[in-house]
Amino acid sequence: MRAVAQRVSTASVTIAGKIKSSIGVGLLLLVAVEDADGDEDIEWLAGKIARLRIFADEEGLMNRSVQEIGGNVLVVSQFTLFASTKKGNRPSYIRSARPEVAIPLYERFIARLASELGKPVLTGEFGADMQVTLVNDGPVTILFDTKMKE
């Protein structure tokens, strides 16, 4: 799995002109799934995201997690995170899992993350044409790849 976590002061997902989900302070996660992903990837990524210390403490240092500050999380599926631009100018998305594989893994990731956080996780809609609006706070943007675990 690959994910981009952005610390936000606000974020929302609009589908067909209607806001599907909206959060205040918290994390916007863009998440992609590949065929090789499984429960180990879900557990590792959900744990990392829940405990990621990128929010300021009382001294202004990034020492608090989204869980500690009571923030919310908005998860948006984004298969283009597995784009390959190695050859030519048109990206290839061959590493992205097909919906029949990706959707169950994506849904299990959301459930696991909600369990880790102890609260519901808001989402976009898998496969929909979505408009994502955000105010990246900092900006703080962190990349994750469960196969590299850096």
Side-chain angles (χ1 to χ4, degrees):
M1 295 180 85
R2 285 190 177 162
V4 175
Q6 296 179 305
R7 185 178 74 183
V8 298
S9 53
T10 184
S12 66
V13 174
T14 302
I15 302 170
K18 295 191 177 26
I19 294 176
K20 163 121 177 33
S21 298
S22 178
I23 64 169
V25 173
L27 294 174
L28 170 66
L29 297 180
L30 306 175
V31 177
V33 177
E34 67 178 323
D35 286 332
D37 291 331
D39 288 334
E40 180 180 313
D41 299 283
I42 290 168
E43 290 177 27
W44 182 85
L45 185 57
K48 273 290 189 190
I49 297 295
R51 292 182 285 283
L52 184 64
R53 297 181 342 171
I54 60 170
F55 292 90
D57 63 13
E58 48 284 330
E59 295 171 7
L61 300 173
M62 289 196 283
N63 272 328
R64 300 213 189 274
S65 68
V66 69
Q67 188 175 37
E68 290 172 312
I69 66 153
N72 291 303
V73 178
L74 173 57
V75 178
V76 175
S77 62
Q78 187 160 355
F79 74 93
T80 60
L81 291 177
F82 278 110
S84 172
T85 58
K86 185 176 181 179
K87 185 176 172 186
N89 293 317
R90 183 174 179 211
S92 168
Y93 304 107
I94 198 159
R95 286 190 56 200
S96 296
R98 305 269 318 141
E100 58 271 14
V101 172
I103 291 171
L105 290 168
Y106 172 76
E107 290 175 349
R108 288 199 329 257
F109 168 72
I110 291 165
R112 178 62 187 224
L113 182 57
S115 176
E116 291 273 349
L117 294 171
K119 66 192 298 185
V121 170
L122 299 173
T123 66
E125 183 178 314
F126 193 97
D129 181 13
M130 297 175 274
Q131 286 67 54
V132 179
T133 303
L134 70 136
V135 176
N136 191 323
D137 180 21
V140 175
T141 303
I142 310 287
L143 304 174
F144 296 92
D145 187 322
T146 62
K147 302 304 186 243
M148 299 184 77
K149 295 188 174 130
E150 294 184 324

